[in-house]
Amino acid sequence: MCWAGRMVLGTISILLGLVQAAAACEFGPFPYRGAGIVCRMTKPAALLLNRETAQVIQAAFRNAQFPNITGERSMRLLGRVAYGLSGIQVNDLSIERSEVELKEDSAIHISIRNVTALFKGTLTYGYAGAWFLQLFHSVDFEIESSIDLQLNINLMCQKDQVAPDASDCYLTFHKLTLHLQGDKQPGWLKQLFTDSISFTLKLVLKREVCKEINAVAQTLTNYILDLAANFVWDGDIAVDISLASDPVIKATYIESHHKGTVLYKNSSSRLSDSVFSPSLLTESRMLYFWLSEHSLSSLAAAAFLDGQLVLHLRGEKLQELFEMEDTEVQRKAVQMIFQGTSYNDSVAKVWSLSQPQISFQPAGTIVSSSVAVEVSILLAGEEPLVALYMEKEITATIQATYADKKLILQPVDSSVEIKVFKCTADPSGEDPSIQSFLQNMILAAGIPEVISNVGSALTSLLNSKRLDLFDIINPEIITREGYVIVQLDFGFPSHLLLNFLEKSL
């Protein structure tokens, strides 16, 4: 998905997963209306990712399957000379520099300068002389080359998914020199075959290299799409990241718009009134994610239906919760609730009774939910004894940050209203000290503890999707009415691309 995020074939490996043209897709007359998630990648990100281009181009040259080249020529006195080049492979490839340009409302232009490559193989030739003398020879050859490579990556949409077209590919040869058996001096045989095969060899190299680049682009795109789909999938919960409208290619950024609807079992959410506008995002950072309130609310609803909004506390965690302060009121309340039982022999269960309601405001993310708390005493050989049961309405304003590869959720404002209260130590519910203590405990320790656990669980989920492998620099999470913006700079983990290329090509 765009979360997690993802231009030039190294760049293409991320960019094509985010952006696609709409040549084969229909989106209707209202732009952005169905966009639940938006991604914007700016020119600085393209320039950074362009550094990975060399690896992809090298992979394309290395994996190109060059066919045998055959031909013949008539020579005075020698008769007809036939030749064939076989076993062509690439050695010692290097790239001087690579540049990327975003063509407004058009394509991604990649210019790769001075690709030097050494082609090796075997030259076999034979000729029938005027006296019917037939001779056949085989010699090893090397071809020194210097090439400029121009690519225009057109982005097409097929079934709401990206389909890159890198067939607009040109090779310009500045040097193509044939050496036979390591001989660097010109000779009639070398001149004969250089003149004969140069044109054909250029056509073959262009066809095979460009074909392989197109195949690598397709492979990388499929990889990124699979990675994105896995990133937004957890059990029965998934997010639809197919396109919601045409992408935008500007000279300074590329932007794509995705449905962001949540799929849970056989049901899905639907968004038809997105508040997104391109003016909501700037161009000062490398990468932007715009997330709608609808998408995040739908995720919370799916998590509730899936039974994931449950927390169990025991032992030290339970002790920290109930002994947040050392006062006479606290000691009395704890003694009455736990009846002298050890925290290790007790468990607190916290769960949502209803689907949480989420709204984004400038102050933060406001979460409202009906929550139940149950404290049970575990008796050996007996059924657990419910010592405390409460139902309460909680509203909390939460601010989110991401640092040290962890998602940190911090409550900045909370309110609690107890609706149901049952305590075996106070059956009548007339002891105000217990309820007062519990009210304070929930606000001061309970809500922060639950939110901290949610943050830890989300961090583990994100890291299981390999987010921690990326270098995320100075991320900012900004909430506004109806949406949240995540903006960041990043460092691309080159080893991920290398590992993928080594395994897949």
Side-chain angles (χ1 to χ4, degrees), residues 238-313:
V239 178
D240 184 357
I241 56 171
S242 57
L243 288 184
S245 65
D246 294 341
V248 176
I249 301 180
K250 299 294 184 181
T252 53
Y253 68 84
I254 295 180
E255 186 174 277
S256 62
H257 317 100
H258 306 262
K259 293 177 181 177
T261 52
V262 176
L263 312 174
Y264 178 67
K265 295 185 177 178
N266 294 324
S267 63
S268 65
S269 61
R270 183 179 180 182
L271 176 64
S272 59
D273 56 351
S274 175
V275 299
F276 175 75
S277 167
S279 62
L280 297 176
L281 303 179
T282 65
E283 301 171 30
S284 60
R285 306 297 299 274
M286 288 184 177
L287 195 60
Y288 294 82
F289 301 118
W290 182 94
L291 308 173
S292 71
E293 182 177 286
H294 174 84
S295 294
L296 271 295
S297 293
S298 298
L299 274 175
F304 169 74
L305 294 173
D306 203 46
Q308 295 189 19
L309 303 184
V310 180
L311 175 65
H312 292 87
L313 300 172

Side-chain angles (χ1 to χ4, degrees), residues 1-6 14 223 227-228 230-232 287 289 291 401-408 455-473 475 477 486 488-493 495-496:
M1 145 185 186
C2 263
W3 295 8
R6 311 347 206 45
I14 289 184
Y223 168 69
L227 190 66
N230 178 65
F231 193 85
V232 294
L287 195 60
F289 301 118
L291 308 173
T401 56
Y402 187 86
D404 299 324
K405 301 188 182 296
K406 295 179 182 179
L407 179 64
I408 302 167
S456 296
L458 289 175
T459 296
S460 296
L461 179 61
L462 293 174
N463 289 344
S464 72
K465 306 299 183 179
R466 305 172 72 183
L467 181 65
D468 57 331
L469 298 181
F470 290 79
D471 296 325
I472 298 177
I473 302 168
I477 302 175
V486 180
L488 55 95
D489 298 322
F490 66 90
F492 186 74
H495 64 282
L496 290 183

Side-chain angles (χ1 to χ4, degrees), residues 60-110:
F61 271 83
R62 186 174 63 248
N63 287 277
Q65 300 295 315
F66 299 103
N68 295 340
I69 298 174
T70 59
E72 64 177 41
R73 287 192 64 181
S74 295
M75 299 291 295
R76 184 177 300 178
L77 299 178
L78 295 176
R80 190 177 67 255
V81 179
Y83 61 86
L85 278 72
S86 60
I88 303 174
Q89 58 183 349
V90 182
N91 294 75
D92 302 328
L93 185 143
S94 65
I95 295 175
E96 183 177 287
R97 70 180 186 273
S98 177
E99 300 170 352
V100 60
E101 178 184 358
L102 305 181
K103 292 186 175 181
E104 186 110 358
D105 300 322
S106 178
I108 305 164
H109 177 73
I110 303 167

Side-chain angles (χ1 to χ4, degrees), residues 14 195 197 227 283 307 362 398 429 454:
I14 289 184
D195 293 342
I197 69 176
L227 190 66
E283 301 171 30
I398 303 169
V454 171

